[in-house]
């Protein structure tokens, strides 16, 4: 392998001084020899910039690594930060790392090798769910074509996090794919579905390269009116893009599956207010609850009971399966 293809790694940063050192250390430890690190300072108010400045000083001694810091004058959110990184990127491939997380040392080498061997526009892989004292290996399903990947993404059996895929930069540029500033919820879903809808060849490595550290917000999902507004707008953007790509007829049921999967966490609760929120959000998709055969029957049944407003059964499922089995027996 010649290491000729430059990889642009985009790292949005907002007040991450505690986790950045581990993240940066993993980036400098890469066995791949040609990397461009793009740190996007989204108007940090802590010592994150000092940490990055120290990294730049170290970078002068690290062959093949170039570091750039891009600044926002005001806090504009993660969608804008990702766009800023994309505009400055010069690599053949785009990769994202969140400042809370870190990657395996051979991640870039393995992913570029796979992309070159398969001539792939997108390469996916497995990951670790990382806690303070332990980790859990999380597998992504195998996909062979962009259509196959789209069905699994929209059908709810494959995660769409940006950090789970390395993408050829030309896919962004040739198709005008960008994040929508201000829509910071569901922005990864919107962009990854657009990218797969535009890709010609894809590949997946069933090896874990990424260590994802859930934060308090990811553990306790908040469905505020603004959250719902942002996610709804990103879903509408997906629907419009698929309609314009000529894929709508074959993916129409999956658009509804996507909407059902996005609002499913509202049922993982014992709150009837959240159940009612589930009923009204993407109401047009409720008729599709039993059609997504990719999901387990129990998941489809819970959604079906929600369409009938059998809240007592939904509440029982949450208390018995989630709180008791997962919260007590499997804990």
């Amino acid at each position: 392998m010649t290491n000729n293809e430059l990889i642009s790694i985009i790292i949005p940063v907002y007040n991450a001084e505690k986790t950045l050192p581990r993240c940066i250390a993993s980036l400098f430890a890469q066995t791949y020899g040609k990397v461009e690190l793009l740190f996007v300072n989204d108007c940090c108010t802590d010592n994150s910039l000092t940490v990055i400045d120290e990294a730049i000083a170290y970078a002068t001694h690290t062959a093949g690594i170039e570091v750039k810091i891009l600044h926002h004058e005001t806090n504009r959110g993660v969608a804008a930060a990702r766009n800023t990184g994309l505009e400055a990127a010069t690599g053949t491939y785009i990769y994202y790392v969140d400042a809370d997380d870190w990657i395996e040392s051979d991640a870039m080498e393995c992913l570029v090798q796979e992309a070159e061997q398969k001539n792939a526009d997108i390469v996916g892989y497995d990951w670790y769910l990382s806690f303070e004292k332990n980790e859990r290996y999380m597998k992504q399903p195998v996909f062979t074509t962009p259509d196959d990947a789209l069905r699994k993404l929209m059908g709810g059996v494959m995660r769409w996090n940006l950090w789970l895929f390395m993408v050829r930069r030309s896919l962004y540029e040739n198709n005008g794919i960008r994040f929508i500033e201000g829509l910071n919820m569901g922005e990864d879903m919107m962009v990854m579905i657009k990218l797969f809808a535009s890709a010609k060849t894809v590949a997946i490595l069933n090896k874990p390269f990424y260590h994802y550290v859930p934060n308090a917000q990811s553990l306790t999902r908040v469905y505020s009116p603004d959250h719902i507004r942002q996610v709804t707008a990103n879903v509408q953007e997906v629907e419009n893009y698929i309609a314009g790509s000529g894929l709508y007829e074959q993916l129409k049921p999956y658009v509804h599956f996507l909407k059902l999967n996005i609002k499913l966490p509202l049922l993982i609760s014992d709150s009837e207010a959240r159940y009612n929120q589930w009923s009204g959000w993407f109401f047009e998709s409720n008729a599709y609850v039993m059609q997504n055969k990719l999901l387990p029957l129990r998941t489809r049944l819970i959604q079906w009971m929600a369409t009938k407003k059998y809240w007592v059964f939904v509440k029982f499922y949450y208390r018995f399966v989630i709180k008791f089995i997962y919260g007590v027996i499997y804990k």
Side-chain angles (χ1 to χ4, degrees):
M1 187 170 172
T2 60
N3 285 6
N4 286 330
E5 302 296 344
L6 179 67
I7 304 174
S8 296
I9 303 180
I10 298 170
I11 311 102
V13 180
Y14 180 69
N15 294 356
E17 61 178 340
K18 293 182 180 179
T19 57
L20 263 174
R22 179 174 60 185
C23 174
I24 292 173
S26 75
L27 298 174
F28 282 125
Q30 290 304 299
T31 57
Y32 187 73
K34 205 167 181 185
V35 174
E36 172 184 68
L37 302 180
L38 302 162
F39 292 94
V40 185
N41 166 32
D42 195 22
C43 204
C44 293
T45 59
D46 67 353
N47 291 318
S48 294
L49 275 180
T50 302
V51 175
I52 298 171
D53 285 338
E54 291 172 354
I56 288 182
Y58 181 79
T60 59
H61 306 291
T62 306
I65 294 200
E66 179 181 357
V67 182
K68 299 176 184 177
I69 305 180
L70 311 168
H71 297 278
H72 287 173
E73 293 184 1
T74 59
N75 178 247
R76 293 165 54 191
V78 70
R82 298 194 200 284
N83 282 341
T84 297
L86 280 171
E87 293 300 327
T90 61
T92 302
Y93 300 102
I94 296 292
Y95 188 78
Y96 293 96
V97 176
D98 288 347
D100 294 340
D101 307 330
W102 75 99
I103 59 175
E104 292 290 310
S105 61
D106 62 343
M108 298 300 97
E109 183 174 0
C110 293
L111 294 174
V112 172
Q113 188 171 34
E114 183 73 5
E116 296 303 293
Q117 287 178 352
K118 303 286 179 63
N119 191 30
D121 292 323
I122 302 173
V123 180
Y125 44 89
D126 297 339
W127 55 292
Y128 292 106
L129 180 60
S130 300
F131 299 99
E132 188 174 341
K133 295 182 179 179
N134 57 66
E135 292 189 310
R136 182 179 176 187
Y137 181 5
M138 309 294 287
K139 291 185 70 68
Q140 287 276 73
V142 173
F143 53 84
T144 55
T145 66
D147 287 356
D148 183 25
L150 280 169
R151 287 181 172 86
K152 286 170 179 170
L153 280 172
M154 299 170 76
V157 294
M158 186 162 80
R159 290 180 68 104
W160 50 58
N161 303 76
L162 295 164
W163 41 261
L164 281 169
F165 306 95
M166 186 186 75
V167 178
R168 200 175 294 273
R169 185 165 65 91
S170 59
L171 212 57
Y172 285 93
E173 303 306 328
N174 295 345
N175 298 284
I177 297 173
R178 288 293 188 271
F179 302 86
I180 301 173
E181 185 163 351
L183 300 184
N184 302 305
M185 302 290 184
E187 90 290 353
D188 46 358
M189 170 272 299
M190 182 270 288
V191 163
M192 281 314 310
I193 290 176
K194 282 187 176 183
L195 290 168
F196 273 107
S198 305
K200 302 298 183 186
T201 307
V202 296
I204 185 164
L205 280 171
N206 282 125
K207 285 186 63 178
F209 293 119
Y210 197 94
H211 299 258
Y212 167 65
V213 181
N215 55 36
Q217 186 178 9
S218 62
L219 289 171
T220 56
R221 297 193 185 191
V222 177
Y223 286 82
S224 66
D226 191 52
H227 179 125
I228 289 177
R229 177 191 65 80
Q230 291 183 42
V231 173
T232 301
N234 275 316
V235 170
Q236 186 60 59
E237 184 72 14
V238 164
E239 196 163 4
N240 293 341
Y241 193 84
I242 289 174
S245 70
L247 296 170
Y248 190 76
E249 285 306 312
Q250 67 189 80
L251 290 176
K252 181 180 177 181
Y254 290 86
V255 171
H256 292 288
F257 298 163
L258 172 67
K259 293 174 180 178
L260 288 168
N261 287 321
I262 282 173
K263 68 177 185 172
L264 179 62
L266 287 168
L267 299 181
I268 311 305
S269 161
D270 59 2
S271 165
E272 291 195 16
R274 285 168 68 92
Y275 300 162
N276 284 308
Q277 199 175 23
W278 180 94
S279 294
W281 193 16
F282 299 132
F283 177 80
E284 71 278 9
S285 299
N286 292 352
Y288 288 77
V289 296
M290 293 302 291
Q291 296 186 30
N292 184 4
K293 300 299 175 61
L294 292 173
L295 293 181
L297 178 60
R298 61 180 173 84
T299 303
R300 286 179 280 146
L301 284 173
I302 288 300
Q303 293 178 91
W304 178 81
M305 286 188 282
T307 66
K308 302 298 182 183
K309 298 194 175 182
Y310 295 158
W311 301 143
V312 65
F313 295 107
V314 178
K315 194 171 293 187
F316 172 79
Y317 174 82
Y318 169 73
R319 290 179 175 173
F320 181 72
V321 176
I322 305 300
K323 296 288 283 185
F324 180 66
I325 294 181
Y326 290 104
V328 178
I329 296 177
Y330 288 167
K331 189 172 182 178

